[in-house]
Amino acid sequence: MVGVVSSEAAIRALAEAYCEGVYHARPEIFEEICHDRFQMTEITAEGGANFWDKASYLARVRGRSAFPGEVSAEILSIDVAGDEIARVHLWVDVPPRRYEDHLGFVRVEGSWKLLTKVFRTMGASDLKV
């Protein structure tokens, strides 16, 4: 069908916007794409976990400095299941760290929303500069 965006294309566009929002510290992107019940989970090097809700995540983004230039990121995989849920595996650099993110999207009233983010960080040696 002409003019109809596939779910995979829509998720890819959201993942690209997500990477831009992380790299350039743009909370307005996350205000739009995050579900009201969004939850972020960090897996720590020690095997523990830290959690943030949407408001806490937005505050975290607002507290960071933006990086200039082209976004340093790569979308590794996209999986859409039943046109209702989707997941994305990607990394995005925020020097001196690389964030490896696993994003979970759900379709709500016809729109895709980011519901979950599980991530870990890697050090400067992992960055492709």
Side-chain angles (χ1 to χ4, degrees), residues 78-121:
I78 296 173
D79 180 35
V80 178
D83 208 33
E84 297 168 353
I85 60 173
R87 63 182 174 191
V88 176
H89 179 201
L90 59 82
W91 60 258
V92 59
D93 293 335
V94 180
R97 291 183 181 80
R98 167 163 290 166
Y99 290 84
E100 179 185 7
D101 296 336
H102 297 264
L103 308 177
F105 291 88
V106 294
R107 189 185 292 271
V108 178
E109 297 175 2
S111 296
W112 287 103
K113 294 292 181 180
L114 179 59
L115 182 62
T116 61
K117 170 183 174 174
V118 177
F119 77 98
R120 66 181 180 145
T121 59

Side-chain angles (χ1 to χ4, degrees), residues 36-106:
D36 288 342
R37 297 183 77 182
F38 169 81
Q39 182 166 354
M40 178 171 77
T41 305
E42 173 188 24
I43 304 303
T44 66
E46 300 79 29
N50 296 311
F51 305 94
W52 293 265
D53 62 9
K54 183 176 180 177
S56 299
Y57 180 58
L58 291 172
R60 181 180 163 109
V61 174
R62 286 185 187 98
R64 287 194 312 97
S65 298
F67 285 93
E70 293 292 317
V71 174
S72 177
E74 182 178 355
I75 297 170
L76 302 171
S77 66
I78 296 173
D79 180 35
V80 178
D83 208 33
E84 297 168 353
I85 60 173
R87 63 182 174 191
V88 176
H89 179 201
L90 59 82
W91 60 258
V92 59
D93 293 335
V94 180
R97 291 183 181 80
R98 167 163 290 166
Y99 290 84
E100 179 185 7
D101 296 336
H102 297 264
L103 308 177
F105 291 88
V106 294

